[in-house]
Every structure is written in C-alpha cells, then in structure tokens.
Amino acid sequence: MKKIAGECARRAALLLAPVLLLACATTNTTSGGAVGVDREQTMLVSSAEVNRSAEKAYAETIQEARSKNMLNRNPEQVRRVRDIAARLIPVTRVFRPDAPGWRWETNVISSNDLNAWCMPGGKMAVYSGLMEKLRLTDDELAAVMGHEIAHALREHGREKVGQAAGVDIAATLGGLIGAYYGVDASLGKGLVGAAGELAFMRPNSRGMEQEADRIGVELAARAGFDPYAAISLWEKMARVSGGSTPQWLSTHPSHESRLSDLRVYANRVAPLYRAARANR
C-alpha cells in the first residue's frame, strides 16, 4: 500500500511540475514600511485563485456559524471589532496600495477558543473567547487584528501552497480555510480536506510570525493604537495558556524572543503612533 501511495504521489508531482514551474514567481508582496519587512517570497499559484477559494470558504464558515447561533451574538463586541478594523484597514496602503480596496469582511464568532484570523483578501474573524478570557483593551485587540491582517498582506497562506508540492493544488485550495485558520475547532471538520490539511495545517514559520508581529505593530501605530500593547497582549496570552502556546500559535517565536523583538519594533514605530494620536 505504501509503495502504491508513493508511486501515486510521484506521478502527481510529475504531472504538476510544469504547472508549478509556470506559476512560480519570486515576489515581495508588500513594501517594507518603517519596520523594513522585505523578504522575497516564492509563489506557486496566483493571488486571485487563492482569494476566490478563501471568499467561498469564508462564506461557508459564516453561514455555518450563523446556523449554530455563533455569529455576532454580542453587539458590543461586534462594534468594537469593526471599529478597530475600520481604523486599521486604511493604513494597510502603506504596505500594499491595493489592500484598502479589498472586499473586507469582519465578524465575531462566539467560541471559547483563543483565536482570530484574517484570510486572504481581507476575510476576518475574531473569537469571543479571545476578548473575554484575555480581557483585551482596544489597543491589545488592535495588536491581534493587526498581526492577522499582516498575514493577509504578506499572503503567507498563498506562500505556503509551496509546501504542498505533489498534492492536487485545486483540492489543496479547497481545504485551505478550515485547516489553516483553525475554523474546524469550533465549527466542525466539514470544511477540511485531506489535501488542505497537508498544505495548511502546518503552522506559520517563525519567520512569517515575526513578519506579522512587526507589520502588525506598525499598522496599529499608524491607526492610532499603542504599539506597546502588543507586549501586554502576549504577556496575557502566556498567563492564560499556563506558559504554553495555544495550538494556533504553535510555531510562534518563544515568549521571551517575541517580547524582545516587539519592544524593538514598538520603539521604532512609536513616533508614528504619536503622530497619529496628534491628528485624531
């Protein structure tokens, strides 16, 4: 059986190779900003393809949450999240001029999970458990949302398709959302395909997480949120999780290295924060 499976995988890889070579491109999805994130990325599929898949899966996720009475149940939480998003989204233009024009959507899912995500193309959700268990301030909530928006700006999900070499790309994209964004933890496993798990259940690399941290504090600062709140956010996260890292953050940098890096970059963007506050 293993031999047959191995042969099938080999044939799939050979069949896909010309497609992948044609689609492969090295690019930098964002400008560096004040934080200087400028790593080049290798992409194997188009952003339009990934965004279409994300938009479809997001609609299915929201519909399932609605059917289980888990969608936007607390008007105050929804107002907070959407107000913060309304301040963060315009400043994404610093990193990507096209981003403010994305088809952004922001919703709150009632769940005890400490979770939040922003899918490709700006499809975002924040879980109520994150706000309630951590008792987040608006500045800390902006740090979470800025971090997740940064993943979408850098197209880390699209970049990770490269980890699925030898897997049917169409099937991989179809299973992207549930596996990569932890949706199935609260909403069942219907949205996760086997190929999607292969490609997307692997958490982000530490390099990707560091990029999202750095871009996230700049987005927050430019939107008039205190960038140092990212430090108190991760301190709260460590306390609530008993010193361990939640599954959705399982390859994030170690607690101390993350805090050290955040202090450096919060200092760097502090003048942007002061300028934003002065203009509000």
Side-chain angles (χ1 to χ4, degrees):
M1 185 64 72
K2 287 183 179 179
K3 184 176 180 180
I4 294 173
E7 179 62 20
C8 288
R10 187 185 68 81
R11 290 180 182 178
L14 290 173
L15 288 171
L16 281 171
V19 176
L20 295 179
L21 287 173
L22 286 173
C24 180
T26 300
T27 186
N28 200 323
T29 53
T30 60
S31 299
V35 293
V37 172
D38 59 4
R39 176 180 62 89
E40 288 194 338
Q41 300 160 275
T42 299
M43 303 297 189
L44 299 181
V45 295
S46 71
S47 59
E49 198 172 354
V50 172
N51 290 354
R52 281 194 299 270
S53 179
E55 188 164 352
K56 179 177 182 294
Y58 186 77
E60 292 172 353
T61 299
I62 294 304
Q63 179 55 41
E64 187 173 355
R66 182 180 290 113
S67 71
K68 295 182 177 181
N69 194 30
M70 296 171 63
L71 184 69
N72 298 332
R73 289 175 52 182
N74 184 320
E76 176 60 22
Q77 289 180 345
V78 176
R79 182 196 62 76
R80 284 185 71 202
V81 167
R82 288 181 175 170
D83 284 353
I84 291 169
R87 288 169 59 179
L88 290 170
I89 290 168
V91 300
T92 61
R93 66 180 180 275
V94 171
F95 292 96
R96 291 186 62 137
D98 65 318
W102 289 356
R103 294 160 58 95
W104 292 88
E105 294 184 53
T106 309
N107 288 284
V108 176
I109 294 175
S110 293
S111 167
N112 288 327
D113 292 340
L114 303 180
N115 202 359
W117 36 262
C118 185
M119 294 176 183
K123 307 302 184 185
M124 187 159 30
V126 176
Y127 288 33
S128 59
L130 188 69
M131 292 181 276
E132 293 166 357
K133 290 183 179 180
L134 300 186
R135 299 182 180 180
L136 297 182
T137 66
D138 283 358
D139 291 316
E140 290 166 342
L141 186 52
V144 173
M145 294 171 64
H147 175 98
E148 298 306 321
I149 287 171
H151 281 306
L153 296 177
R154 289 289 289 167
E155 298 189 57
H156 286 149
R158 177 185 168 207
E159 186 177 7
K160 288 176 63 179
V161 172
Q163 297 178 4
V167 175
D168 185 323
I169 294 298
T172 296
L173 292 176
L176 179 153
I177 299 305
Y180 186 50
Y181 293 94
V183 172
D184 58 310
S186 297
L187 301 178
K189 297 185 180 293
L191 299 178
V192 185
E197 291 186 17
L198 284 173
F200 291 101
M201 284 189 76
R202 303 184 184 98
N204 292 313
S205 70
R206 291 189 178 187
M208 290 177 180
E209 288 305 321
Q210 190 174 74
E211 289 175 353
D213 277 351
R214 293 175 181 181
I215 291 175
V217 295
E218 181 167 347
L219 290 173
R222 288 184 181 275
F225 295 103
D226 185 354
Y228 294 98
I231 297 169
S232 59
L233 163 69
W234 296 114
E235 288 173 339
K236 285 183 177 182
M237 187 74 77
R239 287 196 297 270
V240 169
S241 59
S244 62
T245 305
Q247 183 176 358
W248 67 289
L249 303 175
S250 58
T251 61
H252 282 215
S254 70
H255 180 64
E256 289 306 321
S257 64
R258 159 167 262 142
L259 292 184
S260 177
D261 195 70
L262 284 170
R263 288 188 189 98
V264 170
Y265 284 87
N267 286 336
R268 183 176 295 187
V269 300
L272 300 174
Y273 167 61
R274 291 192 291 270
R277 294 294 296 175
N279 292 328
R280 286 191 64 79

